[in-house]
Amino acid sequence: ETGVTQTPRHLVMGMTNKKSLKCEQHLGHNAMYWYKQSAKKPLELMFVYSLEERVENNSVPSRFSPECPNSSHLFLHLHTLQPEDSALYLCASSQDAGSTDTQYFGPGTRLTVL
Amino acid sequence: GENVEQHPSTLSVQEGDSAVIKCTYSDSASNYFPWYKQELGKGPQLIIDIRSNVGEKKDQRIAVTLNKTAKHFSLHITETQPEDSAVYFCAASKSNSGYALNFGKGTSLLVTP
Protein backbone atom coordinates (compact mmCIF):
# COMPACT_ATOMS: atom_id res chain seq x y z
CA GLU A 1 0.00 0.00 0.00
CA THR A 2 1.24 3.51 -0.78
CA GLY A 3 1.35 6.47 1.58
CA VAL A 4 -2.05 7.61 0.32
CA THR A 5 -5.14 6.41 2.18
CA GLN A 6 -8.79 6.80 1.28
CA THR A 7 -12.00 6.33 3.24
CA PRO A 8 -14.47 4.86 2.93
CA ARG A 9 -13.38 2.05 0.63
CA HIS A 10 -16.95 1.35 -0.44
CA LEU A 11 -19.98 3.64 -0.48
CA VAL A 12 -23.55 3.12 -1.60
CA MET A 13 -25.77 6.16 -1.73
CA GLY A 14 -29.10 7.28 -3.09
CA MET A 15 -29.43 10.13 -5.52
CA THR A 16 -30.65 12.52 -2.84
CA ASN A 17 -27.95 11.74 -0.28
CA LYS A 18 -24.97 13.87 0.67
CA LYS A 19 -21.72 12.10 1.40
CA SER A 20 -18.01 12.86 1.46
CA LEU A 21 -14.91 10.98 0.39
CA LYS A 22 -11.69 11.51 2.31
CA CYS A 23 -8.08 11.22 1.21
CA GLU A 24 -4.94 11.61 3.27
CA GLN A 25 -1.34 11.50 2.08
CA HIS A 26 1.61 10.78 4.36
CA LEU A 27 4.31 11.56 1.80
CA GLY A 28 4.87 15.24 2.45
CA HIS A 29 3.67 16.10 -1.04
CA ASN A 30 2.39 19.49 -2.15
CA ALA A 31 -0.15 18.41 -4.77
CA MET A 32 -3.25 16.22 -4.58
CA TYR A 33 -5.61 14.96 -7.26
CA TRP A 34 -9.04 13.39 -7.69
CA TYR A 35 -9.57 10.93 -10.55
CA LYS A 36 -12.61 9.00 -11.71
CA GLN A 37 -12.11 5.45 -12.99
CA SER A 38 -14.92 3.87 -14.98
CA ALA A 39 -14.88 0.49 -16.69
CA LYS A 40 -13.36 0.43 -20.19
CA LYS A 41 -12.34 4.11 -20.01
CA PRO A 42 -9.05 5.86 -19.26
CA LEU A 43 -8.68 7.48 -15.87
CA GLU A 44 -10.30 10.90 -15.88
CA LEU A 45 -8.69 13.76 -13.98
CA MET A 46 -11.29 15.71 -12.00
CA PHE A 47 -9.49 18.18 -9.74
CA VAL A 48 -5.95 19.24 -8.86
CA TYR A 49 -4.82 21.07 -5.75
CA SER A 50 -1.39 22.61 -5.28
CA LEU A 51 -0.50 23.88 -1.82
CA GLU A 52 -4.20 23.80 -0.91
CA GLU A 53 -5.20 25.91 -3.88
CA ARG A 54 -7.35 24.43 -6.64
CA VAL A 55 -5.44 24.73 -9.89
CA GLU A 56 -7.52 22.57 -12.20
CA ASN A 57 -11.19 21.71 -12.54
CA ASN A 58 -11.79 19.53 -15.55
CA SER A 59 -15.38 20.48 -16.38
CA VAL A 60 -16.68 18.44 -13.49
CA PRO A 61 -20.39 18.84 -12.61
CA SER A 62 -21.11 20.96 -9.56
CA ARG A 63 -22.60 17.97 -7.74
CA PHE A 64 -18.93 17.12 -7.04
CA SER A 65 -17.33 19.63 -4.69
CA PRO A 66 -13.68 19.28 -3.62
CA GLU A 67 -12.09 20.66 -0.48
CA CYS A 68 -8.44 20.78 0.52
CA PRO A 69 -8.04 22.11 4.07
CA ASN A 70 -4.27 21.42 4.12
CA SER A 71 -1.68 19.78 1.93
CA SER A 72 -2.21 16.37 3.54
CA HIS A 73 -5.98 16.11 3.28
CA LEU A 74 -8.39 16.18 0.38
CA PHE A 75 -12.15 15.71 0.38
CA LEU A 76 -14.73 15.17 -2.33
CA HIS A 77 -18.22 16.20 -1.28
CA LEU A 78 -21.02 14.47 -3.16
CA HIS A 79 -24.57 15.75 -3.54
CA THR A 80 -27.49 14.74 -5.76
CA LEU A 81 -25.45 12.24 -7.77
CA GLN A 82 -26.67 10.27 -10.75
CA PRO A 83 -26.34 6.52 -11.38
CA GLU A 84 -23.74 7.23 -14.08
CA ASP A 85 -21.52 8.67 -11.35
CA SER A 86 -20.98 5.16 -10.03
CA ALA A 87 -17.26 4.47 -10.39
CA LEU A 88 -13.99 4.07 -8.52
CA TYR A 89 -12.78 7.43 -7.23
CA LEU A 90 -9.04 7.64 -6.84
CA CYS A 91 -6.98 10.14 -4.95
CA ALA A 92 -3.34 10.74 -5.83
CA SER A 93 -0.52 12.97 -4.68
CA SER A 94 2.78 14.20 -6.09
CA GLN A 95 5.65 16.25 -4.79
CA ASP A 96 4.59 19.21 -6.90
CA ALA A 97 1.69 19.81 -9.26
CA GLY A 98 2.78 19.07 -12.77
CA SER A 99 2.02 16.58 -15.49
CA THR A 100 5.52 15.09 -15.28
CA ASP A 101 5.62 14.75 -11.51
CA THR A 102 5.26 11.16 -10.38
CA GLN A 103 1.83 10.56 -8.95
CA TYR A 104 1.09 8.09 -6.17
CA PHE A 105 -2.42 6.70 -5.89
CA GLY A 106 -4.58 5.61 -3.00
CA PRO A 107 -6.70 2.44 -3.08
CA GLY A 108 -9.85 4.27 -4.16
CA THR A 109 -13.44 4.49 -3.02
CA ARG A 110 -15.89 2.28 -4.90
CA LEU A 111 -19.03 4.41 -5.22
CA THR A 112 -22.42 3.04 -6.19
CA VAL A 113 -25.29 5.46 -6.77
CA LEU A 114 -28.72 3.89 -6.65
CA GLY B 1 -4.90 17.02 -26.81
CA GLU B 2 -2.75 13.95 -26.19
CA ASN B 3 -4.21 10.60 -27.22
CA VAL B 4 -2.74 7.40 -25.80
CA GLU B 5 -3.62 4.06 -27.37
CA GLN B 6 -2.79 0.84 -25.53
CA HIS B 7 -2.71 -2.72 -26.88
CA PRO B 8 -3.69 -5.41 -26.30
CA SER B 9 -6.66 -4.92 -24.01
CA THR B 10 -6.24 -8.44 -22.64
CA LEU B 11 -3.19 -10.69 -22.56
CA SER B 12 -2.81 -14.22 -21.27
CA VAL B 13 0.60 -15.85 -20.87
CA GLN B 14 1.97 -18.92 -19.18
CA GLU B 15 4.12 -18.57 -16.11
CA GLY B 16 7.73 -18.05 -17.10
CA ASP B 17 6.94 -16.54 -20.48
CA SER B 18 7.42 -12.87 -21.37
CA ALA B 19 4.66 -10.31 -21.73
CA VAL B 20 4.78 -7.16 -23.86
CA ILE B 21 2.30 -4.29 -23.74
CA LYS B 22 2.51 -1.47 -26.27
CA CYS B 23 1.34 2.12 -26.22
CA THR B 24 1.35 4.86 -28.82
CA TYR B 25 0.96 8.57 -28.24
CA SER B 26 0.04 11.43 -30.51
CA ASP B 27 1.88 14.48 -29.12
CA SER B 28 5.53 14.47 -30.12
CA ALA B 29 6.29 16.90 -27.27
CA SER B 30 5.38 14.29 -24.63
CA ASN B 31 8.41 13.54 -22.49
CA TYR B 32 7.23 11.50 -19.49
CA PHE B 33 5.92 7.93 -19.72
CA PRO B 34 4.95 6.07 -16.54
CA TRP B 35 3.52 2.59 -16.23
CA TYR B 36 1.09 1.63 -13.47
CA LYS B 37 -0.07 -1.75 -12.20
CA GLN B 38 -3.50 -2.06 -10.66
CA GLU B 39 -4.41 -5.18 -8.73
CA LEU B 40 -7.98 -6.04 -7.88
CA GLY B 41 -9.34 -3.78 -5.16
CA LYS B 42 -6.31 -1.52 -5.15
CA GLY B 43 -5.28 1.76 -6.69
CA PRO B 44 -2.73 2.02 -9.52
CA GLN B 45 0.86 1.58 -8.37
CA LEU B 46 3.78 3.04 -10.30
CA ILE B 47 6.06 0.23 -11.44
CA ILE B 48 8.44 2.02 -13.79
CA ASP B 49 8.69 5.27 -15.70
CA ILE B 50 10.87 6.68 -18.44
CA ARG B 51 11.65 10.18 -19.59
CA SER B 52 12.39 11.09 -23.17
CA ASN B 53 16.11 11.57 -22.68
CA VAL B 54 16.60 7.78 -22.49
CA GLY B 55 15.51 4.96 -24.77
CA GLU B 56 15.32 2.11 -22.30
CA LYS B 57 15.06 1.55 -18.58
CA LYS B 58 15.17 -1.71 -16.67
CA ASP B 59 14.26 -2.75 -13.14
CA GLN B 60 14.74 -6.46 -12.46
CA ARG B 61 12.13 -8.31 -14.56
CA ILE B 62 10.52 -5.14 -15.88
CA ALA B 63 11.77 -2.96 -18.70
CA VAL B 64 10.37 -0.08 -20.70
CA THR B 65 11.51 0.99 -24.15
CA LEU B 66 10.77 4.27 -25.85
CA ASN B 67 10.86 5.06 -29.57
CA LYS B 68 10.38 8.80 -29.90
CA THR B 69 10.48 8.77 -33.68
CA ALA B 70 7.63 6.30 -33.92
CA LYS B 71 5.92 7.73 -30.83
CA HIS B 72 5.51 4.45 -29.06
CA PHE B 73 6.70 2.88 -25.85
CA SER B 74 6.42 -0.64 -24.50
CA LEU B 75 6.44 -2.51 -21.21
CA HIS B 76 8.30 -5.81 -21.11
CA ILE B 77 7.88 -8.28 -18.27
CA THR B 78 10.17 -11.31 -18.33
CA GLU B 79 9.82 -14.57 -16.41
CA THR B 80 6.23 -13.79 -15.57
CA GLN B 81 4.73 -15.01 -12.31
CA PRO B 82 1.08 -15.41 -11.25
CA GLU B 83 1.41 -12.34 -9.02
CA ASP B 84 2.07 -10.27 -12.15
CA SER B 85 -1.61 -10.75 -13.02
CA ALA B 86 -3.21 -7.30 -12.91
CA VAL B 87 -4.33 -4.43 -15.11
CA TYR B 88 -1.46 -2.35 -16.49
CA PHE B 89 -1.85 1.26 -17.59
CA CYS B 90 0.49 3.36 -19.63
CA ALA B 91 0.41 7.14 -19.59
CA ALA B 92 2.06 10.05 -21.34
CA SER B 93 2.47 13.71 -20.53
CA LYS B 94 4.65 16.71 -21.30
CA SER B 95 6.26 19.38 -19.21
CA ASN B 96 4.62 22.74 -18.64
CA SER B 97 1.33 21.52 -19.98
CA GLY B 98 -1.19 21.42 -17.19
CA TYR B 99 -1.48 18.64 -14.70
CA ALA B 100 -3.00 15.70 -16.51
CA LEU B 101 -1.43 12.34 -17.08
CA ASN B 102 -3.02 10.98 -20.24
CA PHE B 103 -3.76 7.33 -19.60
CA GLY B 104 -4.35 4.41 -21.92
CA LYS B 105 -7.39 2.21 -21.35
CA GLY B 106 -5.41 -0.55 -19.69
CA THR B 107 -4.29 -4.12 -20.40
CA SER B 108 -5.59 -6.97 -18.30
CA LEU B 109 -2.70 -9.43 -17.92
CA LEU B 110 -3.36 -12.99 -16.75
CA VAL B 111 -0.42 -15.25 -15.93
CA THR B 112 -1.47 -18.88 -15.69
CA PRO B 113 0.59 -21.42 -13.71
Side-chain angles (χ1 to χ4, degrees):
Chain A
E1 219 41 86
T2 67
V4 181
T5 58
Q6 291 185 244
T7 55
R9 296 294 307 275
H10 300 271
L11 178 63
V12 179
M13 59 186 289
M15 290 194 289
T16 59
N17 291 157
K18 288 185 182 180
K19 296 286 184 184
S20 295
L21 310 185
K22 179 183 176 182
C23 174
E24 184 173 359
Q25 59 96 0
H26 311 272
L27 301 170
H29 288 167
N30 296 318
M32 297 187 76
Y33 309 74
W34 279 117
Y35 283 87
K36 177 182 179 182
Q37 185 176 35
S38 305
K40 308 296 184 186
K41 294 174 69 174
L43 274 73
E44 301 172 55
L45 180 65
M46 300 175 71
F47 302 104
V48 182
Y49 277 83
S50 176
L51 296 171
E52 302 144 49
E53 179 183 341
R54 191 192 309 181
V55 295
E56 182 123 322
N57 176 350
N58 265 0
S59 303
V60 180
S62 60
R63 56 186 184 268
F64 294 92
S65 174
E67 179 190 2
C68 188
N70 56 63
S71 59
S72 298
H73 293 86
L74 184 65
F75 294 89
L76 187 62
H77 303 299
L78 315 172
H79 175 52
T80 322
L81 295 192
Q82 304 298 310
E84 59 264 30
D85 296 322
S86 297
L88 182 68
Y89 288 84
L90 292 162
C91 173
S93 71
S94 62
Q95 184 60 57
D96 296 298
S99 56
T100 58
D101 281 86
T102 301
Q103 295 181 22
Y104 297 87
F105 286 83
T109 294
R110 174 67 63 185
L111 174 67
T112 303
V113 181
L114 301 176
Chain B
E2 174 71 279
N3 183 42
V4 178
E5 298 284 341
Q6 184 172 348
H7 299 280
S9 57
T10 60
L11 178 60
S12 182
V13 299
Q14 282 203 313
E15 183 177 1
D17 288 349
S18 295
V20 181
I21 302 170
K22 299 181 180 180
C23 288
T24 61
Y25 59 97
S26 59
D27 190 339
S28 57
S30 290
N31 58 355
Y32 176 59
F33 307 92
W35 285 90
Y36 285 86
K37 174 184 180 183
Q38 186 172 23
E39 297 174 280
L40 199 62
K42 297 185 177 181
Q45 303 297 309
L46 180 74
I47 55 172
I48 195 167
D49 59 10
I50 191 168
R51 299 185 188 265
S52 61
N53 56 343
V54 297
E56 183 174 0
K57 185 175 178 180
K58 194 172 182 180
D59 183 3
Q60 299 183 334
R61 297 185 297 108
I62 294 173
V64 57
T65 58
L66 172 64
N67 183 326
K68 291 175 61 181
T69 302
K71 291 188 285 187
H72 67 69
F73 56 112
S74 300
L75 178 71
H76 304 254
I77 306 174
T78 58
E79 300 171 28
T80 54
Q81 302 166 2
E83 51 265 39
D84 294 329
S85 298
V87 179
Y88 292 80
F89 294 94
C90 65
S93 65
K94 62 183 179 183
S95 303
N96 305 314
S97 180
Y99 308 94
L101 274 175
N102 302 288
F103 284 88
K105 290 185 178 180
T107 295
S108 180
L109 173 65
L110 177 64
V111 180
T112 55

